[in-house]
Amino acid sequence: MSGDFFSDVPARITYGGPDSSDPLAYAVYQPDREVLGKRMEDQLRIAVCLWHSFNWPGSDVFGVGTFDRPWLTAGVDVATASRAKLDAAFEFIDKLNVPFFTFHDRDVAPEGRTYAETSANLDASVDQIERHMARTGARLLWGTANLFTHPRYAAGAATNPDPEVFAYAAAQVKTMLEVTHRLRGENYVLWGGREGYETLLNTDLRQEEAQFARFLALVAEHKHRIGFKGTLLIEPKPQEPTKHQYDYDVAAVVGFLQRHDLASEYRLNLEANHATLAGHSFHHEVASAIALGAFGSIDVNRGDYQNGWDTDQFPNSVDELSLALYETLAAGGFTTGGFNFDAKLRRQSLSRTDLFHAHIAGIDTLARSLLVAADMVERRTLESARKARYAPWSGELGAAIQSGSVTLADLERRVASGEIDPRPRSGQQELLEGLVNRRIWAADRTRERATKKAE
Ligand code: XUL
Ligand code: CO
């Protein structure tokens, strides 16, 4: 288990251009290309996740692993397995030429028989990660603790009826927050996959809400205690694995944070397939987080419209991602966040090179969507129409209502006198859909021409 794992792949994936027939080259992604005043790499801030790509064997609920991941084979000792896994992961990140990675504690170090053994496993892996980061220049977008795999967490971590489980989860998050700080991570993520219920028959909702709030307050307190300057992120998901999860969607999480005076401590990590599981479009979740001042980072993937579960497929729709990227860019883009590929191969994609094909196609989809979104921001495709739609609110009546200087009685008087007599106006949905499509079809062509002219 040594030497290059991806030996069929060149040392670096480079830009081949839209006409390239090489699947191991980018058709659109050019890290140094300037988009809205920033390098494309700095706009997209792409990360590879270590769980789906390196710590999952390709199993599903009906079948065992299908992938060629020698370090996951039964019988390999912990030290050899984690060394081989990290060597392969950093070879992948380096060859793919993306700046970031993300991981859970358990992705890089299994639980030992005791807490001390678990901590020693993690320490050894973190030392190796640090060396790989120094060697390759890869950076940590975020770290997180796995509070859902071990049987102790079956009834939740922070929301468990047993305070000893709460304490165990607290110990794990403390450690992983410190690891993230040590590796100069830019964010720390909390995904509450088992913070919810399987049945209301045995669940005290009020009690669990209070526990959850206490946990998140403790995490924020520890962040400040150790001087971690990154952003704390909560990742909403409505269900799966639990029947109902408290971090249901953007609106539910922001309401929770506000109820518990935690809104200034946390932002959100939005995942495309979690949005669709909640019955929303991804566009909706991104726009909502921005409107509520809680936007942080993105786990990019997609679901399957025929399946009702989290298929975590690699993104391939420019139409859908362009709109999410438009909202992000119009709001100023990422600060500490980025696009993390929380996406997994299909179980039949068993060649080592499939991992490259999947990421390259996904990254090109993002890059193309970025160009469309930047074009729409520059042309004010949606901005002018939105501005015009709300313009009356800047008039005398709108200002009076918003400032709180009129009462219902005042408004009724003005309506009764005939002074106010609203006339419905067109929402122009089809016009706007057509304008967006025109930008999707044209944006890259016009930008390619502009780049060529400038050369
Ligand atoms: C699960 C999920 C997680 C989080 C990190 O659906 O998205 O991988 O991103 O725990
Ligand atoms: Co995720």
Side-chain angles (χ1 to χ4, degrees):
M1 260 191 253
S2 63
D4 278 3
F5 183 71
F6 299 102
S7 49
D8 293 341
V9 176
R12 196 37 55 104
I13 305 296
T14 54
Y15 177 67
D19 298 324
S20 170
S21 56
D22 181 0
L24 292 174
Y26 289 115
V28 192
Y29 184 61
Q30 285 175 283
D32 290 326
R33 180 171 175 176
E34 198 179 302
V35 182
L36 290 185
K38 275 192 201 167
R39 295 169 63 246
M40 197 182 247
E41 179 179 290
D42 300 329
Q43 287 283 16
L44 294 175
R45 296 170 57 85
I46 288 167
V48 166
C49 87
L50 296 200
W51 52 102
H52 293 318
S53 295
F54 294 93
N55 203 40
W56 173 60
S59 53
D60 66 17
V61 281
F62 291 98
V64 297
T66 54
F67 294 164
D68 174 19
R69 304 280 185 270
W71 51 86
L72 298 180
T73 315
V76 183
D77 72 275
V78 169
T80 310
S82 47
R83 197 177 335 103
K85 184 195 296 175
L86 290 173
D87 285 353
F90 282 91
E91 182 197 342
F92 180 77
I93 295 161
D94 196 34
K95 287 186 168 178
L96 198 62
N97 194 21
V98 296
F100 290 105
F101 67 101
T102 53
F103 72 107
H104 302 81
D105 46 4
R106 295 292 84 85
D107 299 331
V108 300
E111 286 222 10
R113 276 159 304 182
T114 60
Y115 187 74
E117 200 179 296
T118 305
S119 300
N121 288 347
L122 185 62
D123 281 347
S125 292
V126 172
D127 288 345
Q128 285 173 36
I129 291 174
E130 208 162 35
R131 281 197 289 275
H132 281 296
M133 289 172 75
R135 181 177 61 78
T136 61
R139 292 180 284 153
L140 178 60
L141 185 64
W142 47 263
T144 187
N146 178 329
L147 304 179
F148 44 88
T149 297
H150 195 279
R152 80 172 69 84
Y153 296 124
T159 60
N160 199 288
D162 181 354
E164 292 201 1
V165 177
F166 181 110
Y168 215 99
Q172 222 181 303
V173 171
K174 172 187 177 287
T175 304
M176 204 43 206
L177 193 54
E178 289 169 4
V179 163
T180 303
H181 185 36
R182 172 177 158 197
L183 298 177
R184 295 178 308 285
E186 306 210 5
N187 308 271
Y188 183 84
V189 164
L190 291 121
W191 170 59
R194 296 198 193 271
E195 311 294 17
Y197 61 80
E198 295 296 350
T199 171
L200 282 170
L201 299 182
N202 64 10
T203 303
D204 183 339
L205 289 175
R206 190 187 291 265
Q207 167 71 22
E208 294 204 1
E209 164 135 352
Q211 288 174 212
F212 206 9
R214 189 84 284 278
F215 192 85
L216 295 180
L218 286 170
V219 175
E221 191 180 294
H222 195 69
K223 166 195 157 156
H224 296 301
R225 195 187 303 265
I226 63 176
F228 176 60
K229 297 281 179 276
T231 311
L232 295 177
L233 298 169
I234 293 180
E235 185 172 323
K237 186 176 184 183
Q239 69 265 147
E240 200 214 27
T242 311
K243 171 191 160 65
H244 174 89
Q245 281 152 209
Y246 300 132
D247 293 333
Y248 198 91
D249 60 3
V250 167
V253 176
V254 170
F256 175 93
L257 291 172
Q258 287 173 351
R259 275 199 299 290
H260 298 284
D261 208 14
L262 289 165
S264 61
E265 297 287 3
Y266 287 88
R267 289 178 161 230
L268 303 179
N269 184 42
L270 308 173
E271 182 162 324
N273 204 170
H274 296 182
T276 46
L277 272 184
H280 302 304
S281 65
F282 184 45
H283 187 191
H284 166 95
E285 286 292 81
V286 171
S288 298
I290 290 169
L292 297 172
F295 178 76
S297 197
I298 288 177
D299 273 6
V300 68
N301 58 23
R302 70 179 157 107
D304 182 308
Y305 289 109
Q306 283 166 298
N307 292 339
W309 67 89
D310 196 14
T311 61
D312 279 335
Q313 285 167 257
F314 280 81
N316 67 352
S317 168
V318 173
D319 292 22
E320 288 174 13
L321 279 182
S322 296
L323 291 169
L325 260 152
Y326 169 78
E327 302 298 342
T328 312
L329 284 187
F334 288 123
T335 50
T336 60
F339 278 108
N340 172 46
F341 273 83
D342 192 349
K344 59 181 188 247
L345 291 171
R346 296 307 87 194
R347 190 162 173 265
Q348 295 176 61
S349 304
L350 16 103
S351 107
R352 296 179 182 189
T353 313
D354 282 320
L355 204 52
F356 275 93
H357 293 153
H359 281 83
I360 291 168
I363 290 168
D364 273 337
T365 303
L366 267 184
R368 181 82 158 78
S369 307
L370 176 75
L371 295 177
V372 173
D375 180 72
M376 291 204 293
V377 169
E378 277 173 344
R379 287 171 185 266
R380 302 173 54 81
T381 306
L382 297 176
E383 192 49 30
S384 329
R386 282 183 190 171
K387 275 240 155 65
R389 190 158 183 253
Y390 293 92
W393 281 94
S394 310
E396 180 274 324
L397 175 64
I401 294 172
Q402 280 181 304
S403 68
S405 62
V406 290
T407 62
L408 286 187
D410 295 333
L411 293 173
E412 195 213 10
R413 219 170 296 121
R414 291 173 68 173
V415 169
S417 73
E419 180 202 335
I420 292 176
D421 182 16
R423 299 287 147 101
R425 286 178 304 152
S426 171
Q428 301 185 307
Q429 180 171 338
E430 297 77 8
L431 168 78
L432 296 172
E433 286 168 347
L435 288 180
V436 168
N437 270 357
R438 284 189 196 190
R439 299 329 310 155
I440 290 173
W441 300 331
D444 204 41
R445 256 185 301 151
T446 47
R447 285 186 155 255
E448 285 300 337
R449 271 203 298 274
T451 315
K452 278 218 181 86
K453 237 187 247 157
E455 276 166 4

